[in-house]
Amino acid sequence: MCGDHSLCAVELWATGRWVPVFSDAENCTRMSPVSRGRKPKKKKSTASPRHPVLVPVGTPDACDCPACLGEEPISYDTLADALLADAATIEEPDDAFAAELLASTMHMLGESDDEFDKVLLDDIIPSLEAGATVGAQAVLLALGTMTAEGVGPAASTAADRQVAAGVPRPGWVTELGQTPRLDACWQLTAADDMAIVIGKFLRGELSQTFVLINDLVNEGAAEDLALMDSQDVDEGIEKMRAAARADGIDLIVESLDPAEYRRRVETALDIRADQELGYPAFEQISLDDEPEDEPDGPPFEVLETLLRTRISTLPVSERAAVETRGRRSGAEIGVLPSAPDQGPVPGYQLKVTLKDSKPPIWRRLQVPSDLSLAELHHVIQIGFGWDDSHLHAFETRHGRFGQPGFLDGVGDERRVALSQVAAPKGKISYTYDFGDDWEHDVLVEKTTDPVPAAACIGGRRAAPPQDCGGIWGYVFLLDVLADPDHPDHDDQLEWLGLDDPKDLDPDAFDPEGITQRLAELRRPRPAGGRRR
């Protein structure tokens, strides 16, 4: 899946360019396509159900999502049609987990996109209800367990109306509306490098075992998530240990209680989500990046949604609550005010001024107040036309924040909201490029009504070119360009790549262009829910 299109694997799956297969320890046999078309009848089997996983059709060398191929993006109607066609292929008990994966896909897409959430409520759920099939009812019941509001209750109510209208509800479909039970859970740890957290869930005749691989070097973030054959988990664990021993690694096995299992899973998933909210995800959309390898199973986001639904019914440990508070508040440097958890998030009006610039160079920006400092960094970069090729840091009364992997003695800017370090009329400092030292004063002028995205609503003058020597180097540069007889005049024009000094207009300012570039920023929601 390519890094710029986080949902492309899900779209490929849902529109039939991926197919599900049944997989066990020895072999894989193809199930019906996840696309349009009638599902062939399967022979009855007394064997235990095997887990459907996804494999790409063929082995593409690069991402084949529509955007990467230069095609039109998959429309909501096309995606909805494909999902409905998938539901029509669900007919038998062996299809129960396929129904859950399909419901998880719908839920995840709705959580990621308000427009698709509306498609679910206005189109897909009514269409499933009208379909009056066992498969439609299975998907509705599974979708009903995903969330306690909005889509969840609507799906459950639609399924109940189907029964009232005479649509049969087999026992295996009824089980989809029940809460799975955690049967057993373990963690396998390899020194300080990797932890594998395994949880086996039971619900009626169906069982699933989730395997979450966490990178302890990368703050314990979830690195991969997959399904394991549930028929012999103990044997699977022993095979993992044997393979590790062959590589000189000793995997330590630890049994977990449900609360501790939930804590470790949520912590790893949340850290991964925090990291995605920072550097890789909150970037301008580009097609220039190298595509990543295609996943050979359900997309991470689909399994994550399903696993978060599973663990939401488990007890919460006190340790989890303390660690979550610390992680969100920047515990590296002390205690910060808590970020609000409920209610609409107000906006902030900021005035960002380049320090020592005369006449002043400044931007007036509107941003959500819960913007992380990592996200604010990107907003300022666009506001001033910087290209993010140097280090940066924020100075606040609560401490210094930046990128811990690149700077020593800083808190993680991805885990601190602007509202936690700057109240209305408060000020923080942002420094970019520690050679040129572009220092910016960031003043919170006032609180505003909620804003959907960052925007530039005012300002003055163009920002200096990068690497020109700081604010005093910029003053010297303007003096040189204004004097055709200066010995450095031609050299500076060549360095800037300009033919005419008038092409560098220090008074130029384009708020509409800045706002347009800000609109290209993708701001993902935290995993498991919308930004409020």
Side-chain angles (χ1 to χ4, degrees), residues 316-379:
V316 179
S317 71
E318 286 299 319
R319 183 179 176 188
V322 171
E323 289 188 351
T324 299
R325 286 196 296 270
R327 189 167 60 253
R328 288 179 178 171
S329 63
E332 300 92 339
I333 50 91
V335 178
L336 297 177
S338 298
D341 289 332
Q342 295 182 345
V345 175
Y348 269 179
Q349 180 173 299
L350 308 178
K351 184 176 182 181
V352 185
T353 305
L354 191 59
K355 195 171 181 179
D356 294 324
S357 57
K358 296 178 182 179
I361 300 171
W362 57 275
R363 303 290 182 263
R364 179 164 284 122
L365 305 166
Q366 284 186 338
V367 300
S369 62
D370 69 340
L371 209 68
S372 73
L373 294 185
E375 295 169 327
L376 179 60
H377 155 70
H378 289 284
V379 170

Side-chain angles (χ1 to χ4, degrees), residues 457-494:
I457 61 172
R460 280 196 63 191
R461 309 187 74 225
Q466 284 196 162
D467 302 318
C468 68
I471 196 66
W472 310 118
Y474 180 49
V475 172
F476 173 75
L477 175 64
L478 293 178
D479 288 343
V480 169
L481 294 180
D483 182 2
D485 297 325
H486 194 285
D488 293 332
H489 181 85
D490 291 341
D491 288 341
Q492 291 298 320
L493 274 179
E494 182 180 357

Side-chain angles (χ1 to χ4, degrees), residues 222-243:
E223 181 178 291
D224 201 2
L225 180 57
L227 296 170
M228 184 182 194
D229 186 354
S230 292
Q231 303 310 311
D232 200 340
V233 177
D234 291 335
E235 181 180 348
I237 290 175
E238 285 308 312
K239 286 182 177 179
M240 289 184 197
R241 297 189 70 191

Side-chain angles (χ1 to χ4, degrees), residues 353-356 429-433 436-441:
T353 305
L354 191 59
K355 195 171 181 179
D356 294 324
S429 176
Y430 168 78
T431 301
Y432 172 62
D433 184 356
D436 283 2
D437 274 332
W438 300 111
E439 295 184 28
H440 307 69
D441 289 327

Side-chain angles (χ1 to χ4, degrees), residues 507-526:
D507 293 322
F509 172 59
D510 179 16
E512 291 80 12
I514 293 173
T515 295
Q516 183 177 356
R517 290 190 291 277
L518 288 172
E520 295 173 356
L521 290 173
R522 292 182 290 120
R523 192 183 185 199
R525 300 183 177 91

Side-chain angles (χ1 to χ4, degrees), residues 107-166:
H107 175 61
M108 187 273 295
L109 290 172
E111 287 291 280
S112 304
D113 187 333
D114 288 333
E115 288 299 317
F116 190 78
D117 201 36
K118 190 172 185 299
V119 171
L120 276 171
L121 289 169
D122 296 346
D123 182 7
I124 293 179
I125 290 177
S127 295
L128 286 170
E129 181 180 355
T133 65
V134 170
Q137 192 169 143
V139 174
L140 286 170
L141 281 177
L143 189 57
T145 66
M146 298 288 168
T147 177
E149 57 184 25
V151 168
S156 296
T157 302
D160 290 340
R161 284 196 298 262
Q162 281 186 325
V163 173

Side-chain angles (χ1 to χ4, degrees), residues 81-266:
D81 288 346
L83 292 168
L84 289 168
D86 296 344
T89 69
I90 295 169
E91 301 172 345
E92 302 176 8
D94 283 359
D95 300 333
F97 191 58
E100 287 194 282
L101 285 176
L102 188 57
S104 179
T105 303
M106 293 178 181
H107 175 61
M108 187 273 295
L109 290 172
E111 287 291 280
S112 304
D113 187 333
D114 288 333
E115 288 299 317
F116 190 78
D117 201 36
K118 190 172 185 299
V119 171
L120 276 171
L121 289 169
D122 296 346
D123 182 7
I124 293 179
I125 290 177
S127 295
L128 286 170
E129 181 180 355
T133 65
V134 170
Q137 192 169 143
V139 174
L140 286 170
L141 281 177
L143 189 57
T145 66
M146 298 288 168
T147 177
E149 57 184 25
V151 168
S156 296
T157 302
D160 290 340
R161 284 196 298 262
Q162 281 186 325
V163 173
V167 178
R169 180 177 290 182
W172 67 272
V173 174
T174 301
E175 289 175 359
L176 287 172
Q178 299 172 357
T179 301
R181 174 175 63 87
L182 180 64
D183 181 57
C185 47
W186 308 263
Q187 176 166 303
L188 285 63
T189 307
D192 295 326
D193 298 327
M194 178 180 67
I196 304 172
V197 184
I198 301 173
K200 179 180 179 180
F201 291 86
L202 301 178
R203 182 167 58 194
E205 297 292 327
L206 186 66
S207 67
Q208 301 105 30
T209 300
F210 292 83
V211 180
L212 182 67
I213 301 175
N214 303 331
D215 185 354
L216 301 183
V217 177
N218 184 25
E219 302 179 321
E223 181 178 291
D224 201 2
L225 180 57
L227 296 170
M228 184 182 194
D229 186 354
S230 292
Q231 303 310 311
D232 200 340
V233 177
D234 291 335
E235 181 180 348
I237 290 175
E238 285 308 312
K239 286 182 177 179
M240 289 184 197
R241 297 189 70 191
R245 281 194 296 269
D247 291 332
I249 300 171
D250 186 19
L251 281 179
I252 306 300
V253 181
E254 173 189 5
S255 294
L256 306 176
D257 62 46
E260 183 62 14
Y261 172 74
R262 174 175 180 168
R263 182 189 74 82
R264 296 190 189 189
V265 169
E266 283 187 329

